[in-house]
Amino acid sequence: MRTRSAKALGAVAVLSAAALVFAGCAAGNTAPNASDSPAAALPTVDWDAAAAGDVQDGGTLTLAVGALPVNYNNSEIDGNDVDTNTILSPTSGGPLRITTEGASEVNPDYASSVELVSEDPQVVEIKLNPKAVWEDGTPITVADYAATWKALNGTNADYQVVSTTGWDQIASVEQGTDEFDVKITFSSVFADWQSLLGGVLPAAIASDPVVFNTGYTEKAVPSSGPYVISNIDQTGQVITLTPNPVWWGAKPKLDTILFKVVSQAQQGSSFANKEIDALYISSNADLYATAKSREDAEIQATNGLTWTHVTMNAKEGPLSDLNVRKAVASIVNREQISAAANTPVGVPAVTQGDYIFMNGQDGYEDKALAHDPAAAEGFLKDAGYTKDGDSWTKDGEALKLTVTVPADTATNIQRAEQVQADLGDFGIPVELTTVPAAQYFSDYVIPGNFEMVTFSWQGTPFPISSSEALFYPLDSGQNFTGTTDEKLGDLWTKANAELDPAKRIDIAKEINDTIWSYVPMFPIAPLPNVWAVKQGLVNYGAAMFGYSPVDWTIVGWAK
């Protein structure tokens, strides 16, 4: 499985298994509401929880990833994937953390307080823990925060950042009473300011765009967490993490964490053969069946913030025509795809029709184009196409499309095949172009080398601000659609500056309507977090907010 993710503010892409992450991985406060939505039928957390005293000292946890990171700096665009964030999670942390309920709280390992000390101008003050250090023993100070801000705020185009959202609204990062007192002053109100506090880099990295962009393509960024990446085996495709010798917090329980590269096609058998200890099933029916065959397996399922979609490249070709994009979105049967994906793994089949909020969250509105072949015919005729036998033609040329898919990712390929079948039955032949999974994002999705792609976006607890980079501006590091609507800039500026939750949701609904007016992509379905874990593994597994609430100091094996 390959997933995209980000720490600035934006989203992470997932292969679904291919995924990207919305940038913004700090603490948050937007959880699903208690609605009648089928999505609300699943819990927020389903792993086995245990207190530190009930966890064994020692042991090894072996996990699978789809590929080694392309870049270990996950604030850089090529490092914006879920696998990379998963690998780095035990080595990082910040002043705020997300609880298993989706709320934010101060993380005492990194700060004694985080306060909004002024609203006009907006000023946030962080009192850092003086004990917090980088892997080489250098203290984490205001200098790191200032350098990170300058790298991510968009003023220097040499930095290949995931997103500038929020960072570009900071006027200054200054020292307070000492180097551990960070004062962040905003030039305009940024409601999701908490989302910016989890992605700080050492000043030495953030101060140099060359180091930022390419300095960590083969080695890990310095750890500031309970574990350190002690070995990267490029030949064996295994990353080894061991306890950080300069870690100042509670001693982590595990002796070793191994991340082994296993293709999605092989992860089920790897789990069944007890080669890995946990398996992310998502909506893969084959993985689900294989996992259940292991006698000591426990199946866990929760809601998630990840949603599948089809992104259409509107920069050139047939999909540059809005009416063709509307036709495609009206032909693909989202309900059928969702049912095929979710029902076999024992979770509700739910579609996704909102670009901002997840099904079950306050503000969610399904504005998707209905599955309506008759409407699709009208859209194609408006685009100048006529039905010619089994084909749709314009100026003597038949309409045909391609979907670029990553190899060995069964759920991604299955979804693409369903899109291919729906469009093919309608008279639009679709060719599936298979490319290496490890280069799927870096060589195809990010540079726009495709007509259509289907992967997943993994959201954050900050759905409004974090989704901006997917659609605006046109040259955003996460806008792979080749198009935008200039109205979105003002709308997101208003939304990001609005502190009243109800008013923010109203603006977000207007954003959602605007995006649906030009259909750069169409959501299909939310992905549940379905996991299989070895019995006895505690404090790790299925949780709505992904890796973010994991306390790696207490992940381990039950006594």
Side-chain angles (χ1 to χ4, degrees):
M1 184 194 75
R2 185 72 167 166
T3 313
R4 288 307 268 186
S5 155
K7 288 169 60 178
L9 233 143
V12 178
V14 183
L15 286 177
S16 328
L20 286 167
V21 177
F22 287 110
C25 299
N29 51 20
T30 306
N33 61 19
S35 70
D36 293 329
S37 164
L42 296 174
T44 301
V45 177
D46 200 30
W47 65 44
D48 290 336
D54 296 324
V55 185
Q56 295 178 23
D57 291 321
T60 297
L61 174 63
T62 305
L63 303 171
V65 291
L68 295 184
V70 176
N71 196 314
Y72 289 83
N73 175 8
N74 56 357
S75 289
E76 196 273 342
I77 186 62
D78 288 331
N80 179 44
D81 64 66
V82 168
D83 278 346
T84 301
N85 272 328
T86 299
I87 292 168
L88 294 179
S89 180
T91 74
S92 58
L96 292 176
R97 62 188 176 193
I98 300 174
T99 69
T100 53
E101 291 77 30
S104 62
E105 64 181 13
V106 175
N107 186 341
D109 286 330
Y110 297 89
S112 58
S113 67
V114 178
E115 296 183 18
L116 180 64
V117 296
S118 171
E119 292 188 0
D120 187 17
Q122 185 178 24
V123 179
V124 174
E125 184 172 19
I126 309 167
K127 297 291 184 69
L128 297 174
N129 182 352
K131 296 180 180 179
V133 296
W134 298 107
E135 186 177 325
D136 64 358
T138 303
I140 299 173
T141 70
V142 64
D144 301 313
Y145 282 81
T148 299
W149 159 59
K150 291 176 182 177
L152 302 182
N153 66 12
T155 58
N156 188 340
D158 290 340
Y159 288 91
Q160 298 170 6
V161 304
V162 173
S163 172
T164 62
T165 300
W167 296 102
D168 58 2
Q169 291 178 241
I170 295 176
S172 65
V173 177
E174 298 175 316
Q175 179 173 313
T177 56
D178 57 31
E179 62 182 344
F180 303 109
D181 185 2
V182 182
K183 290 190 174 182
I184 302 173
T185 301
F186 288 79
S187 56
S188 56
V189 174
F190 183 59
D192 281 343
W193 59 269
Q194 293 172 319
S195 66
L196 305 178
L197 304 187
V200 67
L201 288 166
I205 297 174
S207 298
D208 186 331
V210 175
V211 175
F212 180 94
N213 294 335
T214 63
Y216 292 88
T217 56
E218 296 182 356
K219 62 180 180 180
V221 293
S223 171
S224 61
Y227 289 89
V228 61
I229 294 178
S230 53
N231 188 56
I232 299 174
D233 181 356
Q234 295 282 359
T235 303
Q237 297 280 280
V238 178
I239 292 178
T240 303
L241 280 70
T242 51
N244 183 352
V246 299
W247 173 246
W248 58 94
K251 181 182 177 181
K253 295 293 183 178
L254 293 166
D255 289 331
T256 310
I257 303 171
L258 298 177
F259 288 103
K260 301 173 64 173
V261 173
V262 185
S263 71
Q264 189 195 73
Q266 298 299 317
Q267 285 183 14
S269 58
S270 184
F271 181 76
N273 293 333
K274 302 183 178 180
E275 296 165 358
I276 57 176
D277 298 314
L279 173 67
Y280 177 58
I281 293 170
S282 181
S283 57
N284 189 318
D286 291 337
L287 291 184
Y288 183 75
T290 303
K292 293 182 72 174
S293 69
R294 178 169 167 171
E295 75 281 358
D296 63 346
E298 177 183 314
I299 305 297
Q300 303 171 350
T302 72
N303 287 312
L305 295 177
T306 302
W307 47 279
T308 61
H309 72 282
V310 172
T311 283
M312 299 174 283
N313 192 340
K315 187 175 182 179
E316 57 188 7
L319 292 171
S320 64
D321 190 314
L322 169 59
N323 282 306
V324 177
R325 299 198 300 273
K326 285 183 175 180
V328 171
S330 301
I331 294 165
V332 174
N333 190 331
R334 299 180 307 125
E335 290 79 6
Q336 189 174 66
I337 293 177
S338 177
N342 288 7
T343 303
V345 297
V347 297
V350 183
T351 56
Q352 177 73 15
D354 193 304
Y355 290 110
I356 311 299
F357 300 107
M358 295 296 295
N359 194 316
Q361 283 182 319
D362 287 330
Y364 177 86
E365 288 186 344
D366 190 336
K367 295 295 186 74
L369 292 167
H371 174 56
D372 188 344
E377 289 189 9
F379 290 135
L380 287 180
K381 289 176 181 177
D382 289 343
Y385 288 87
T386 58
K387 191 70 182 290
D388 184 7
D390 292 332
S391 301
W392 287 89
T393 62
K394 179 180 180 180
D395 300 329
E397 186 173 345
L399 176 60
K400 56 184 179 179
L401 298 169
T402 62
V403 180
T404 301
V405 296
D408 299 321
T409 54
T411 51
N412 187 282
I413 294 170
Q414 179 188 46
R415 189 167 56 253
E417 288 175 343
Q418 290 172 295
V419 170
Q420 179 187 47
D422 286 346
L423 291 172
D425 289 345
F426 188 82
I428 304 174
V430 175
E431 178 185 355
L432 301 191
T433 302
T434 303
V435 300
Q439 285 78 49
Y440 182 62
F441 290 111
S442 60
D443 293 358
Y444 298 92
V445 177
I446 293 173
N449 185 19
F450 65 89
E451 271 195 318
M452 292 190 292
V453 286
T454 176
F455 53 90
S456 302
W457 282 112
Q458 185 185 77
T460 76
F462 306 96
I464 298 175
S465 57
S466 69
S467 57
E468 178 176 359
L470 276 63
F471 306 101
Y472 185 86
L474 182 61
D475 61 354
S476 161
Q478 292 184 300
N479 184 357
F480 309 137
T481 69
T483 187
T484 191
D485 188 317
E486 289 303 321
K487 291 186 295 186
L488 292 173
D490 289 340
L491 287 171
W492 252 299
T493 296
K494 287 173 58 180
N496 289 336
E498 180 55 66
L499 297 177
D500 183 288
K503 291 180 180 178
R504 289 196 81 208
I505 286 175
D506 287 341
I507 301 169
K509 289 180 178 180
E510 191 174 351
I511 292 172
N512 188 47
D513 289 342
T514 300
I515 300 171
W516 274 115
S517 72
Y518 71 99
V519 198
M521 66 170 78
F522 55 93
I524 296 175
L527 280 179
N529 280 329
V530 181
W531 284 74
V533 302
K534 178 182 177 181
Q535 289 179 359
L537 178 61
V538 295
N539 301 319
Y540 186 88
M544 177 174 179
F545 296 103
Y547 59 85
S548 298
V550 174
D551 180 350
W552 282 99
T553 66
I554 57 173
V555 173
W557 303 101
K559 287 183 176 178

